[in-house]
Amino acid sequence: MKRNRTALLVLVILFAIGAAACSSGGGNNGEGSSGGSNGKKVDVVWWFPAKEQEAAMKQIADNFNKKQDKINLKVQLNAGADYYTKLQTTLAAKNGPDIMWMNGPNFPKFQSKGFLLKYDELIERDGFSMADFPDALVKLYSKDGVYGMPKDYDTIGLFYNKELFDKAGVPYPTEKWTWEDLRNAAKKLTIGSGDKTTQWGIAVPASTQEVIYPFFVQNGVKPMSDDRTSLQYDSPEGIEAIQFLYDLMYKDKSSPDGQYMTDNDPTQLFQSGKVAMIMNGSWMAKPYYDVLKDKVDVQFMPIEKTKGNIIHGVAWVANANTKHKDETWEVIKYLGSKEVAMLQADSGTVIPALKGTQDAWVKALPMNLKIFTESAEFATPYPTAFDPEWETTVATHLTNIWLNKESPADGMKKVTEEANALLSAAK
């Protein structure tokens, strides 16, 4: 989730929007809340950053509000790469929404600062069962107690444009594809005119979740040590994985290079038919289908030394300083309900975290979506650590490699040295 720095004016506007959002409904400052004791509904403000899920989130809020005479759920989209920065700023001021979208990498930071409400007392009071969710996701948002209601989970797949494969006479990807199969197909699907490439076989952006970590685990490299204190990205297997991706850009030229993918969104290149294959998460199945319809399908990630994939999940967390704890908890419980899970599944939005609801998502679109739920069986959890700053180091050197400013070997050596120093200091 990279983005260019924008002008100070934009930041000012964003903070103004955030402040307006806080003051317009619920949150800790309580402005805009209608109380409850006077018979009016209590506003509970709910933030999420995913534009592609806006329709589903609004439908969930509408459904909840139709059943309520005490709570008014106000859903607010806060899209953008600075979502967590904005969230941290407003929570540090003891303000902000009552309920927030949270991911695994950012959870340790927000929890350690005391920003989040612990659910244990409320869970026990109401007899709510967290056993209905995958244990790995519950643990991802737990530390001395439970802080997150699992929303969904995701794994990574190889999306491909069937029309471009057919035109090139290249067989579709199979579950037995190796890295070499991927490489050969990408070459055959790359088309040029003079010195200009008009179609690439694949796009491999420097995205850790969708590209880097899956290739690491396929080559036997853990994204992080079990005790969360070190990386081994400079191992021969780690360098080999990065070199493979680098060669797709700068040797085979079957992928746009780093600068081109900085200037041109790889997702849009795939949706416009300029790229034949792209690795992306299960959350992109519906957006891709909405644009490409029956031209798009998806397959397991290619195999190298072993099958490999990355699993991650989002959770709903609550503001520790909410003035409406009971009402906020009522909404949190609803967000963890089967009704909400099925709404997300039936619309093809995301794979719901609630056990027993995944089949509806698999059947929601005419694509090979089962590869995502089956990949969860052998996937490695997305790496997290107490100090998320280590990811900045990773991103910096991956960017340098993708821009051809560092070699894969040099970049991975620097990543490992610098990130390990941060992780060791934070343990």
Side-chain angles (χ1 to χ4, degrees):
M1 296 179 70
K2 296 184 298 182
R3 53 170 286 176
N4 294 328
R5 294 286 183 189
T6 53
L8 178 60
L9 177 61
V10 175
L11 291 175
V12 171
I13 292 172
L14 288 173
F15 278 109
I17 292 172
C22 299
S23 63
S24 64
N28 182 60
N29 62 8
E31 294 177 17
S33 294
S34 303
S37 59
N38 58 4
K40 294 182 180 179
K41 291 184 178 181
V42 169
D43 288 344
V44 172
V45 178
W46 173 31
W47 278 16
F48 72 101
K51 173 68 176 175
E52 67 274 13
Q53 296 189 30
E54 185 175 17
M57 298 300 103
K58 286 184 174 178
Q59 186 62 57
I60 290 168
D62 287 345
N63 291 353
F64 179 84
N65 287 330
K66 286 177 182 175
K67 301 175 182 178
Q68 278 290 324
D69 57 6
K70 297 180 180 178
I71 302 171
N72 179 41
L73 179 56
K74 302 183 72 171
V75 60
Q76 296 177 350
L77 171 65
N78 279 277
D82 55 355
Y83 166 77
Y84 288 104
T85 301
K86 184 164 59 175
L87 188 61
Q88 181 175 345
T89 300
T90 190
L91 293 179
K94 297 189 181 300
N95 211 322
D98 302 285
I99 299 171
M100 303 84 77
W101 167 300
M102 183 59 60
N103 67 17
N106 277 286
F107 168 72
K109 177 173 62 179
F110 281 79
Q111 188 277 333
S112 66
K113 293 181 181 297
F115 293 160
L116 307 183
L117 178 69
K118 189 191 297 188
Y119 295 160
D120 296 59
E121 178 184 332
L122 298 163
I123 289 171
E124 183 176 356
R125 184 193 71 185
D126 293 355
F128 191 88
S129 175
M130 298 303 290
D132 293 334
F133 301 92
D135 189 50
L137 295 182
V138 176
K139 288 181 177 177
L140 184 62
Y141 296 97
S142 297
K143 183 177 175 63
D144 71 35
V146 178
Y147 291 84
M149 180 66 71
K151 172 186 178 293
D152 58 49
Y153 73 78
D154 50 71
T155 56
I156 309 302
L158 176 65
F159 289 91
Y160 61 97
N161 186 319
K162 292 189 290 185
E163 184 176 65
L164 300 184
F165 272 72
D166 290 342
K167 286 181 179 178
V170 177
Y172 298 155
T174 74
E175 61 183 290
K176 296 182 179 180
W177 260 27
T178 64
W179 287 9
E180 196 60 27
D181 293 325
L182 179 78
R183 184 173 199 165
N184 289 336
K187 289 179 181 176
K188 293 175 182 175
L189 289 158
T190 300
I191 300 173
S193 177
D195 294 334
K196 184 178 180 181
T197 302
T198 56
Q199 174 183 302
W200 289 270
I202 193 168
V204 287
S207 167
T208 50
Q209 184 177 3
E210 295 97 319
V211 180
I212 309 299
Y213 295 154
F215 274 77
F216 273 169
V217 295
Q218 290 158 18
N219 214 32
V221 181
K222 287 184 177 180
M224 183 172 287
S225 63
D226 292 339
D227 62 2
R228 301 182 178 185
T229 62
S230 65
L231 312 176
Q232 292 185 323
Y233 295 179
D234 61 347
S235 64
E237 293 81 8
I239 294 171
E240 182 181 38
I242 300 301
Q243 185 70 53
F244 177 84
L245 297 168
Y246 175 92
D247 287 347
L248 294 176
M249 295 182 287
Y250 292 104
K251 185 176 181 180
D252 300 351
K253 301 186 185 302
S254 58
S255 167
D257 62 27
Q259 186 60 60
Y260 194 90
M261 289 188 284
T262 299
D263 298 336
N264 300 272
D265 182 359
T267 292
Q268 293 183 7
L269 293 174
F270 180 71
Q271 289 176 319
S272 65
K274 293 183 178 178
V275 162
M277 295 183 284
I278 190 168
M279 280 81 76
N280 219 319
S282 44
W283 64 88
M284 286 303 296
K286 188 173 187 304
Y288 283 153
Y289 181 78
D290 287 346
V291 174
L292 295 168
K293 301 300 182 186
D294 59 359
K295 295 178 184 176
V296 66
D297 210 335
V298 65
Q299 187 51 268
F300 285 102
M301 294 287 282
I303 303 167
E304 188 62 8
K305 290 183 171 62
T306 184
K307 289 182 178 179
N309 212 303
I310 294 294
I311 186 170
H312 174 258
V314 170
W316 298 117
V317 298
N319 189 336
N321 291 303
T322 177
K323 289 186 176 179
H324 309 298
K325 187 169 78 172
D326 286 341
E327 290 83 0
T328 294
W329 174 241
E330 282 301 307
V331 176
I332 291 287
K333 286 193 296 183
Y334 179 70
L335 295 177
S337 69
K338 184 175 182 179
E339 178 180 324
V340 169
M342 292 304 293
L343 190 152
Q344 295 182 95
D346 289 338
S347 65
T349 305
V350 289
I351 306 173
L354 187 68
K355 293 178 180 176
T357 61
Q358 288 80 27
D359 276 355
W361 181 82
V362 168
K363 297 174 182 175
L365 299 172
M367 298 170 66
N368 187 24
L369 298 183
K370 66 179 182 181
I371 68 103
F372 290 109
T373 54
E374 292 182 2
S375 291
E377 297 173 9
F378 55 82
T380 300
Y382 187 92
T384 62
F386 184 78
D387 181 0
E389 196 59 32
W390 71 277
E391 289 200 296
T392 302
T393 298
V394 173
T396 296
H397 290 290
L398 284 176
T399 299
N400 288 341
I401 294 169
W402 255 243
L403 294 176
N404 209 17
K405 295 179 179 178
E406 289 181 358
S407 71
D410 289 345
M412 289 300 97
K413 183 174 186 296
K414 291 175 181 176
V415 164
T416 305
E417 290 175 352
E418 294 171 19
N420 283 355
L422 291 168
L423 291 167
S424 179
K427 68 180 180 181

